[in-house]
Amino acid sequence: MRSATRIAEPDASFDVVVCTQVAEYILDVNRALSETFRVLRQGGRAVFVATDWDAVIWHSEKPDRMASVMKSWESHCAHPQLPRSLSNRLISAGFRLDGASVFPILNLQWHDDAYSKGLAGLVRDFIGRKKDISFESIKDWYDELAWLSEAGRYFFSSNRFIFRASRPAG
């Protein structure tokens, strides 16, 4: 089994490491960052991409229900607000922070090609298994998204935070 907290590669093995939407799922994320630093050669570069799940905006006519759904969804990963601390964590692991940027995702319609529709299915299925929100409430939430789109009132926004770092030479 492979593990981000115990990478089975020698020191300084890689020129580039990319971690997209993974670090927030690793319980010991600091250990994973240290391992990433260890396997990166001097002057090597790393890119980390993560979502802050508190920063997801989904319009709803029932904001209390939406808040409950999103709060329940937070437990799908170990660090739902990782981008807020990622720059400090990278520096603590030895990296030089080379920059950060945001990749916005905006959906104004609910359709099969929309990122938010795929995400909504994952959210619905995940919180349905948890059973901390009633099946009816989850179904109503999901159905409302299609209704809002048909009414021309659908809105979804999320940001992917991109951190660029490197292992200092010498």
Side-chain angles (χ1 to χ4, degrees):
M1 181 164 97
R2 295 185 185 259
S3 172
T5 59
R6 298 183 85 185
I7 300 172
E9 298 293 335
D11 294 356
S13 300
F14 297 98
D15 294 327
V16 176
V17 174
V18 176
C19 179
T20 302
Q21 296 296 131
V22 173
E24 60 263 42
Y25 295 91
I26 302 169
L27 192 58
D28 191 353
V29 70
N30 291 335
R31 176 73 182 145
L33 295 176
S34 294
E35 275 293 282
T36 302
F37 184 83
R38 180 187 66 77
V39 300
L40 197 61
R41 72 164 175 81
Q42 288 186 4
R45 296 176 295 173
V47 174
F48 294 85
V49 180
T51 297
D52 183 327
W53 292 101
D54 265 357
V56 170
I57 302 168
W58 232 321
H59 173 66
S60 173
E61 299 282 312
K62 305 275 185 173
D64 290 342
R65 181 181 63 208
M66 179 60 76
S68 295
V69 165
M70 294 310 291
K71 186 66 178 167
S72 182
W73 171 245
E74 273 190 1
S75 66
H76 85 282
C77 66
H79 303 279
Q81 293 88 31
L82 181 62
R84 299 177 198 189
S85 64
L86 193 51
S87 60
N88 292 331
R89 290 174 187 265
L90 288 165
I91 291 166
S92 293
F95 286 96
R96 178 181 64 223
L97 185 64
D98 297 325
S101 56
V102 176
F103 178 82
I105 299 171
L106 175 64
N107 295 156
L108 300 176
Q109 294 179 335
W110 171 264
H111 56 77
D112 290 342
D113 293 334
Y115 168 79
S116 59
K117 186 172 183 180
L119 177 61
L122 294 173
V123 170
R124 176 198 61 206
D125 296 347
F126 177 83
I127 63 175
R129 287 189 301 274
K130 287 181 60 182
K131 300 185 189 302
D132 59 347
I133 299 176
S134 74
F135 172 79
E136 293 78 22
S137 188
I138 296 167
K139 182 182 179 322
D140 289 347
W141 167 77
Y142 189 83
D143 291 346
E144 179 193 23
L145 301 174
W147 177 85
L148 286 168
S149 186
E150 290 169 14
R153 299 194 344 247
Y154 186 79
F155 183 91
F156 171 88
S157 175
S158 178
N159 291 311
R160 297 281 169 85
F161 296 90
I162 305 164
F163 295 83
R164 297 176 314 282
S166 57
R167 180 172 180 158

